[in-house]
Amino acid sequence: MSGTFVGMPAFPEAAREAVADATLRGNLRHATHTIRAKRAAAVAEVSDWAQLREAGRLIKDHTLRRLDHYLVQLEEAVTAAGGTVHWAADADEANRIVTRLVKETGESEVVKVKSMATQEIGLNEALEAEGIRAYETDLAELIVQLGKDRPSHILVPAIHRNRGEIRDVFRAEMGAWGRPAPEGLTDRPAELAEAARLHLREKFLRAKVGISGANFMVAETGTLVVVESEGNGRMCLTLPETLISVVGIEKIVPTWRDLEVFLQTLPRSSTAERMNPYTSMWTGTGDGDAGEGDGPRTFHLVLLDNGRTDTLADEVGRQALRCIRCSACLNVCPVYERAGGHAYGSVYPGPIGAILSPQLRGTASEIDASLPYASSLCGACYDVCPVAIDIPEVLVHLRERVVEGGPVTRAGNRVVLKPAKGHGAERAAMRAARWAFSRPGALRAGQRLASRTRGLHPRTLPGPGRAWSAARDLPTVPAEPFRDWWQRTNGGSAEERTAK
Ligand code: SF4
């Protein structure tokens, strides 16, 4: 993976600052709760959602098992349609290929469709080092780029910013990147969108090279698919004369019938839309060859491995490659909601980042060794995942790998795995819980004592626990333990009623 995030501290350390930032927590809470409620409503409308989810899982698993076959089929189809396929083993090779292709056009600027793969390899930085300027055209990516920031969400990269912050970024930075922000720009969404539209329009019309990723690649015809909401992708894919697409090898589906499943599940899972607003599909150079119609005259597809083959070799971990980047798991994750995306030290934050980044990067750094612990294992991510990735299962599996890695050692500049800090305290807490749960009388007495003394309970923990509770609210103990309430309202203890 890209070296952009190498050197990040472990997740707990990186998250500490984020959880203490009340504005950030407010922005994240508002955004994630809004998206998750809309998604739940959109999914509830579909009576066969469970079948679609299972179909998505089966298609992806089948394709991953025969990836070698489908990749060759895709290459043949793309080549037959006038495109050129390049194979990149890692980020450096992909960056070298793309930089060379742009240089061969004689251009020094490109427009970009939002793409996780190009972020993963640090393409913008690699192009900049060679004197090529890349303009992000997705609104949220533009905000991140202008603000010299880092993305913190797969779908909404500027989710950590509120409207006032975005207005300030536009006012301060747009001028340095071309057209300045309009005089008196306010934080009204319509005004912000119009400022971005005016800023980007001239870049679309001027650009000779477009760079994209792809949500899907159809092996049988060599067709690439980009799914987006703003129309900026359509502009980047159709206006420039040369199009370069960098796509992870796992994004392949065998047939158009397979694609149909994901075009139903992705919009509802990501933006809670029944149908995606802009779905662009292209096969090779198409109409562009004839000098008329839409589409580029030259098309290059860079197929990116960058750790995916190694991930595929892990029987438990390989299910992470099913991911269609909908971000539903981020929006329901209680850890992501509080820590935000930057703490994950990767372009893939949240639950999917916690299982994908350590596998793609080889769990060789402190941040990667800590990511499998960035979860409460509540399972909400699995429940919403449209391709049924059992994220908790992979997290536990990766924790085993971290623990088996033993104490930290260094080989050159590589840091070998070590168990995350705090395991001693965790073991002591588990021992205490086992003792209490195996003694019902003691547990009940403790619950009653806690209820009767609830007015005396502190709102923050003392001693070493103070840091933990500084960024969290301790739950209020109920006035009456559940078992007593049950006995009072149901005429007997839960155990007695179960026995009847
Ligand atoms: S893991 Fe599942 S829920 Fe999360 S982004 Fe990927 S497809 Fe969506």
Side-chain angles (χ1 to χ4, degrees):
M1 275 180 105
S2 157
T4 312
F5 295 96
V6 169
M8 278 284 296
F11 180 85
E13 208 178 310
R16 189 167 298 127
E17 207 175 310
V19 296
D21 184 338
T23 305
L24 176 66
R25 291 217 311 271
N27 293 348
L28 287 168
R29 182 179 168 76
H30 173 72
T32 54
H33 281 240
T34 304
I35 304 172
R36 90 168 66 153
K38 286 184 177 173
R39 177 213 157 266
V43 166
E45 290 178 347
V46 184
S47 59
D48 61 348
W49 183 260
Q51 288 91 333
L52 281 170
R53 186 179 188 237
E54 180 63 4
R57 182 183 76 78
L58 292 171
I59 291 166
K60 282 286 184 178
D61 279 352
H62 165 83
T63 314
L64 289 170
R65 271 199 304 276
R66 303 202 59 204
L67 198 54
D68 53 344
H69 166 77
Y70 288 120
L71 283 169
V72 171
Q73 187 184 11
L74 176 86
E75 181 182 33
E76 289 169 358
V78 170
T79 306
T84 307
V85 176
H86 310 259
W87 298 83
D90 56 24
D92 288 344
E93 187 173 9
N95 287 331
R96 275 198 305 275
I97 292 169
V98 177
T99 305
R100 173 175 57 77
L101 293 172
V102 176
K103 282 185 171 176
E104 284 172 4
T105 67
E107 295 296 315
S108 59
E109 59 180 31
V110 301
V111 286
K112 281 188 69 202
V113 189
K114 181 180 178 326
S115 152
M116 299 305 297
T118 61
Q119 285 179 19
E120 177 188 319
I121 62 176
L123 179 62
N124 287 8
E125 293 79 6
L127 290 173
E128 193 179 335
E130 295 292 325
I132 299 165
R133 195 162 215 186
Y135 295 108
E136 295 290 351
T137 63
D138 171 85
L139 177 56
E141 289 290 358
L142 176 68
I143 295 163
V144 168
Q145 185 176 49
L146 291 174
K148 302 176 188 68
D149 205 348
R150 282 187 286 124
S152 66
H153 190 277
I154 290 176
L155 199 68
V156 197
I159 197 169
H160 55 289
R161 298 280 196 193
N162 59 35
R163 293 185 320 193
E165 292 174 305
I166 294 167
R167 176 205 53 209
D168 294 344
V169 168
F170 279 11
R171 280 182 181 166
E173 302 295 337
M174 269 187 169
W177 286 75
R179 187 189 181 104
E183 288 282 325
L185 179 69
T186 74
D187 66 357
R188 285 184 54 235
E191 279 191 40
L192 295 173
E194 179 64 7
R197 192 177 293 121
L198 293 171
H199 178 80
L200 291 171
R201 176 80 37 174
E202 54 161 348
K203 295 174 177 50
F204 287 131
L205 296 175
R206 202 171 64 210
K208 296 281 187 290
V209 181
I211 294 181
S212 81
N215 295 88
F216 305 100
M217 303 183 287
V218 184
E220 66 177 349
T221 55
T223 304
L224 272 73
V225 184
V226 161
V227 173
E228 43 112 13
S229 301
E230 297 172 12
N232 65 299
R234 179 73 53 85
M235 303 280 267
C236 292
L237 297 167
T238 53
L239 289 177
E241 291 170 6
T242 299
L243 175 61
I244 304 167
S245 301
V246 182
V247 190
I249 54 175
E250 83 284 17
K251 291 297 181 71
I252 204 164
V253 293
T255 68
W256 283 75
R257 288 297 298 270
D258 301 320
L259 181 64
E260 176 206 340
V261 171
F262 301 107
L263 292 185
Q264 293 180 73
T265 52
L266 180 55
R268 287 180 193 263
S269 293
S270 55
T271 50
E273 284 161 313
R274 291 172 178 146
M275 187 177 168
N276 189 63
Y278 291 91
T279 303
S280 300
M281 302 172 178
W282 69 101
T283 307
T285 48
D287 290 345
D289 265 345
E292 53 191 35
D294 293 334
R297 310 267 163 85
T298 309
F299 170 57
H300 295 276
L301 170 60
V302 181
L303 290 170
L304 177 70
D305 186 320
N306 206 30
R308 286 158 174 79
T309 303
D310 291 340
T311 304
L312 196 56
D314 186 313
E315 278 184 24
V316 179
R318 69 171 61 136
Q319 56 186 305
L321 296 177
R322 283 188 218 138
C323 177
I324 57 172
R325 312 278 191 266
C326 72
S327 73
C329 57
L330 278 65
N331 300 328
V332 297
C333 177
V335 175
Y336 175 85
E337 183 187 319
R338 285 156 185 83
H342 291 159
Y344 292 80
S346 157
V347 297
Y348 302 111
I352 181 60
I355 62 169
L356 192 58
S357 303
Q359 296 197 87
L360 293 182
R361 299 194 292 209
T363 51
S365 67
E366 296 233 19
I367 179 77
D368 287 331
S370 67
L371 282 178
Y373 296 90
S375 170
S376 63
L377 300 181
C378 70
C381 48
Y382 171 62
D383 290 345
V384 297
C385 180
V387 282
I389 299 173
D390 193 340
I391 294 176
E393 181 188 29
V394 183
L395 286 166
V396 172
H397 171 68
L398 293 177
R399 287 180 189 188
E400 283 170 16
R401 274 173 48 177
V402 170
V403 171
E404 282 164 8
V408 67
T409 57
R410 288 181 184 276
N413 61 357
R414 286 172 72 80
V415 181
V416 182
L417 312 177
K418 67 173 182 177
K421 288 176 187 164
H423 282 187
E426 188 179 337
R427 274 196 297 272
M430 288 299 147
R431 269 199 300 272
R434 188 172 58 195
W435 186 90
F437 287 125
S438 59
R439 291 167 177 79
L443 181 64
R444 184 166 301 186
Q447 287 171 331
R448 284 180 179 153
L449 182 65
S451 288
R452 283 178 194 143
T453 58
R454 62 200 286 261
L456 304 173
H457 296 177
R459 300 300 298 156
T460 55
L461 292 172
R466 188 187 301 279
W468 190 89
S469 58
R472 299 169 179 84
D473 294 328
L474 287 178
T476 309
V477 175
E480 182 180 28
F482 172 79
R483 284 158 186 266
D484 290 356
W485 170 85
W486 181 273
Q487 198 160 9
R488 181 170 56 76
T489 56
N490 291 276
S493 71
E495 291 86 351
E496 287 165 357
R497 285 175 63 82
T498 307
K500 279 178 190 173

